[in-house]
Amino acid sequence: MRAWRTVLPPTLLVLAGLLAAPAPAAAQGAGRPDEATALTLERVPGVERAKMAGLETDTKQGGDRYSVQDLDIMQPVAVRLRAIDPSQTVRLEVVKGEWTNVYRNCSTNGATPCEVRFRTEGNFGLQVTSPAGAGVRYELGVYVGDEMQLVPANLVVPPKDAGQAARGGLGLANILLGVIAVALVGLLLLVGWSVLRKRNQEAS
């Protein structure tokens, strides 16, 4: 297993700050790090208001499990998964509480990585699997923004709280700002991922 660390160029400073923009969903409850490899979030020089963790490794039979701990509901989270070989497929699941409680999932599509964004309180788990079983090389990146001071108006809540959210209403301006922020975060992840991969190749 090889972990990566890098310094992003100054042109990414503004985009990195957008990790503090509202995320699409909030998962509730505390995660369990049992039987999982804990990912350590670290500050990356040149990137403000965010911590990152990542690794490059091969899938094991039955899948790989990771945990990220001690998060606040006001911290936006983005997780990105990419198969090194575009002909292979890897699948990502975000879990809470028990490993069977899957809140988010996605799969790679050829050379296209998969990505999920959300907020949560406490811990969450990640499961990486492949239809091919063991030996599929992949890169996994986790980006966590700093805690926000105010609750965003366009924070999506779990279904059980949807009635209360509907009564409060969402302004059109807030919705548009949220869409723009999500798009810019996606751009940050795409550019940052390219830089990280280039430095991994240089370090190999």
Side-chain angles (χ1 to χ4, degrees):
M1 181 183 297
R2 182 178 65 185
W4 41 255
R5 297 178 62 184
T6 188
V7 177
L8 298 184
T11 54
L12 293 181
L13 291 178
V14 176
L15 289 178
L18 290 172
L19 278 173
Q28 301 299 317
R32 292 176 53 185
D34 308 31
E35 303 177 1
T37 299
L39 297 180
T40 301
L41 298 169
E42 298 179 307
R43 295 284 181 186
V44 176
V47 177
E48 298 178 353
R49 302 167 64 189
K51 293 182 180 180
M52 302 182 185
L55 54 87
E56 179 180 324
T57 189
D58 298 325
T59 57
K60 295 186 290 292
Q61 195 65 37
D64 303 328
R65 289 178 173 180
Y66 306 97
S67 68
V68 179
Q69 305 179 35
D70 301 325
L71 297 181
D72 188 275
I73 192 67
M74 297 309 297
Q75 292 180 280
V77 179
V79 183
R80 190 178 179 89
L81 176 67
R82 187 180 74 88
I84 300 300
D85 181 354
S87 68
Q88 300 279 12
T89 298
V90 282
R91 177 178 174 82
L92 173 68
E93 294 181 337
V94 179
V95 303
K96 287 290 294 183
E98 301 291 340
W99 290 103
T100 54
N101 295 338
V102 178
Y103 280 83
R104 296 286 183 274
N105 65 79
C106 66
S107 297
T108 60
N109 181 14
T112 304
C114 77
E115 177 187 315
V116 292
R117 291 187 292 272
F118 56 93
R119 297 177 189 275
T120 191
E121 183 76 22
N123 308 335
F124 69 88
L126 299 172
Q127 297 189 111
V128 178
T129 57
S130 173
V136 178
R137 195 77 175 172
Y138 66 88
E139 288 180 341
L140 177 68
V142 180
Y143 305 77
V144 177
D146 286 347
E147 180 181 348
M148 297 178 65
Q149 299 303 312
L150 298 175
V151 177
N154 59 342
L155 180 66
V156 178
V157 297
K160 63 184 180 64
D161 297 327
Q164 181 177 355
R167 289 193 295 272
L170 296 177
L172 178 59
N174 282 333
I175 294 176
L176 292 176
L177 288 174
V179 171
I180 293 172
V182 168
L184 289 176
V185 169
L187 177 61
L188 163 66
L189 295 177
L190 178 61
V191 177
W193 190 270
S194 298
V195 174
L196 291 170
R197 175 164 173 75
K198 180 178 179 182
R199 291 188 176 272
N200 275 337
Q201 292 174 341
E202 292 174 352
S204 298

